[in-house]
Amino acid sequence: MKTFAALLLGATALVGTSALAQTTLTIATVNNNDMIVMQKLSKDFEEKNPDIKLNWVTLEENVLRQKITTDIATQGGQYDIMTIGMFETPLFGEKGWLSEFKDVPADYKLDDVLKSVRDGLSFDGKLYALPFYAESQMTFYRKDLFDKAGITMPDQPTWEQIGQFAEKITDKDKEIYGVCLRGKPGWGENMGQIGPVVNSYGGRWFDMDWKPQLTTEPWKEGVTTYVDLLKKYGPPGASSNGFNETLSLFASGKCGMWVDATVAAGFLTDKKQSQVADKMGYAHPPIGKFDKGNHYLWSWALAVPVSSNEPDAAKKFIYWATSQDYIKLVAKENGWAAVPPGTRTSTYDTPEYISAAPFAKLTLETIQTANPTDATQEKVPYRGISYVGIPEFQSFGTAVGQKMSAVIAGQSTVDEALNESQKLVERTMKQAGYPKK
């Protein structure tokens, strides 16, 4: 009888295990603050969907892009959900590598998602990713330092003014640096910031015949401006600082100004995470000679590769993570100022958010005025503001970023770096068969 009872218990255990069988979703995401919050709050999703288990792979931005591109191009099937952006989504969608979001549930309220963001995550009218947050750029500054120096930040500063202000508020003895900017190499790291500066001085990556333009005067002027600011008024080791490192510097009170992604505003106004939360000021991103292309449009979004074995479960999670209800969950847990910005009209129609987030209207304005199809003074054959919307940009954008980082580190000059960059981009484009016929 004992043997029979043991067998019966074993069979019951097997039945129980079968009944609780779970679908595991592997999610590849970037190590930005908002994604870390998403991971923490995802227990809400798992409680509502006990048959789905989430496996998180959280990576630094450059590493994430390398791993995702390799996996999706080889159909490796390592990830069920990928965190990608406006650069990758149309390219991957065109190649048939992503599962289309069609027949989106009515209660998701897709029309509430900002049209410019939806369009940036589409190809040929088909939607291939849903935005977790969207961003443009703004100028963050310390109002207390400006008051002490007797200066006023205009609503629309120029890069020349940023230099003048930085000189007055820099106090290296106290580890206060007038301006912090990204120096870490990467097409989405330092080049994501340098690109709009070059645009605002009248530059472009290519002419209409796909000939690189990196040795033109606007490139020299834009890059020199950026590099000089960091060399004169920036923190030590700026050549290795990316978004997260610079965010940490500003939040710890070591930066007087910072021009970067609008999404940082929610973190910087959080008194639990920012030492300067009550000292924050916000202005439009600076311009050089022109107000065209001086700020980008970007979204970190969630997509499902066609290699996923669980596309329905993956989309179920994405609907949860990019929904109005998720935004309300973040507001409940962390306060309205901390909610993922830039994705939904309803967020900006919420009085609690507008009241808690003094940066909200500026964020929305910069997102809505960034135009990836018209971002340069002279015509170009590509789409994008901070990037060139072709597959080859991942390679040459990062290679040029390495040259720029070397200049910031004092290992090269602007002219040397741009001449070398011109040659490597020419070589890449020739090998890729440009101009395409």
Side-chain angles (χ1 to χ4, degrees):
M1 290 296 292
K2 287 183 179 180
T3 302
F4 179 76
L7 288 170
L8 185 61
L9 284 170
T12 304
L14 286 171
V15 171
T17 302
S18 176
L20 294 174
Q22 290 182 317
T23 295
T24 298
L25 298 177
T26 299
I27 305 169
T29 194
V30 66
N31 64 340
N32 289 353
N33 184 63
D34 289 84
M35 281 69 175
I36 293 169
V37 172
M38 172 172 60
Q39 185 173 348
K40 289 179 179 177
L41 297 182
S42 63
K43 63 179 183 294
D44 175 83
F45 175 83
E46 290 182 305
E47 287 169 0
K48 293 174 179 175
N49 299 274
D51 57 327
I52 300 175
K53 180 184 177 183
L54 305 177
N55 175 37
W56 294 86
V57 179
T58 305
L59 302 165
E60 184 269 332
E61 184 173 320
N62 288 338
V63 177
L64 173 77
R65 288 181 165 132
Q66 291 168 2
K67 288 187 176 293
I68 279 178
T69 302
T70 299
D71 186 73
I72 200 165
T74 60
Q75 300 291 291
Q78 189 174 353
Y79 310 112
D80 298 290
I81 296 169
M82 293 178 165
T83 304
I84 57 177
M86 288 187 173
F87 169 76
E88 300 95 341
T89 304
L91 295 175
F92 291 175
E94 181 181 9
K95 290 183 177 292
W97 291 346
L98 297 175
S99 178
E100 181 188 351
F101 281 89
K102 52 186 177 181
D103 303 321
V104 176
D107 61 0
Y108 180 77
K109 299 180 181 177
L110 184 59
D111 287 343
D112 184 47
V113 178
L114 294 172
K115 186 178 185 301
S116 60
V117 178
R118 276 184 283 143
D119 290 346
L121 298 172
S122 300
F123 175 77
D124 197 22
K126 296 177 181 178
L127 185 63
Y128 287 103
L130 292 175
F132 183 64
Y133 69 75
E135 64 187 18
S136 183
Q137 288 168 292
M138 66 169 61
T139 302
F140 304 96
Y141 67 98
R142 290 265 303 274
K143 291 193 289 186
D144 60 324
L145 297 181
F146 271 64
D147 290 344
K148 183 180 178 181
I151 52 179
T152 302
M153 174 69 78
D155 182 54
Q156 177 57 79
T158 64
W159 280 107
E160 183 179 4
Q161 287 175 317
I162 294 296
Q164 293 167 354
F165 299 152
E167 182 179 11
K168 293 183 178 179
I169 62 177
T170 296
D171 188 344
K172 293 185 179 180
D173 290 339
K174 294 183 179 178
E175 292 189 285
I176 295 176
Y177 304 95
V179 63
C180 293
L181 300 166
R182 295 191 211 183
K184 186 177 186 176
W187 70 260
E189 281 283 11
N190 60 356
M191 293 314 300
Q193 306 301 310
I194 291 172
V197 180
V198 170
N199 292 342
S200 78
Y201 280 97
R204 54 182 175 166
W205 278 90
F206 298 97
D207 66 13
M208 290 300 290
D209 295 320
W210 288 104
K211 292 179 181 176
Q213 301 293 299
L214 281 82
T215 53
T216 59
E217 195 57 36
W219 266 91
K220 292 179 183 179
E221 201 166 359
V223 172
T224 298
T225 297
Y226 196 92
V227 170
D228 282 354
L229 283 169
L230 280 174
K231 281 189 171 181
K232 292 178 181 177
Y233 314 116
S239 61
S240 59
N241 290 340
F243 173 76
N244 284 325
E245 293 85 357
T246 315
L247 175 62
S248 179
L249 280 171
F250 200 107
S252 62
K254 294 187 177 181
C255 303
M257 293 179 290
W258 180 30
V259 181
D260 211 303
T262 52
V263 72
F267 180 92
L268 292 173
T269 55
D270 182 356
K271 292 181 180 179
K272 296 177 182 177
Q273 304 180 82
S274 171
Q275 296 176 23
V276 294
D278 58 348
K279 301 176 176 66
M280 291 300 302
Y282 314 93
H284 283 83
I287 58 174
K289 293 180 175 177
F290 309 99
D291 62 356
K292 196 174 188 180
N294 71 313
H295 60 288
Y296 57 64
L297 176 65
W298 182 256
S299 171
W300 277 117
L302 302 175
V304 180
V306 293
S307 54
S308 170
N309 292 321
E310 304 292 345
D312 291 339
K315 287 181 178 178
K316 191 172 188 179
F317 174 81
I318 292 174
Y319 289 138
W320 171 84
T322 63
S323 66
Q324 288 181 336
D325 286 343
Y326 177 81
I327 289 173
K328 291 175 183 176
L329 177 62
V330 176
K332 178 183 176 183
E333 296 292 329
N334 297 336
W336 271 103
V339 305
T343 59
R344 288 182 172 271
T345 301
S346 57
T347 302
Y348 294 88
D349 289 338
T350 303
E352 294 91 339
Y353 181 60
I354 299 301
S355 176
F359 50 82
K361 290 182 179 180
L362 180 57
T363 296
L364 184 60
E365 182 182 341
T366 55
I367 287 173
Q368 292 179 324
T369 55
N371 187 351
T373 62
D374 185 20
T376 53
Q377 288 300 117
E378 299 180 83
K379 289 185 177 181
V380 294
Y382 58 86
R383 183 180 187 278
I385 301 173
S386 57
Y387 57 83
V388 178
I390 57 174
E392 292 79 11
F393 183 71
Q394 287 198 83
S395 173
F396 72 72
T398 294
V400 172
Q402 290 166 345
K403 302 293 184 185
M404 298 301 108
S405 184
V407 179
I408 295 167
Q411 300 167 356
S412 179
T413 67
V414 171
D415 283 343
E416 288 170 346
L418 289 177
N419 286 333
E420 292 168 2
S421 296
Q422 175 80 6
K423 291 175 184 176
L424 73 84
V425 177
E426 286 176 346
R427 189 163 55 248
T428 301
M429 298 302 280
K430 184 177 180 180
Q431 291 172 346
Y434 284 81
K436 304 282 189 182
K437 294 182 179 179

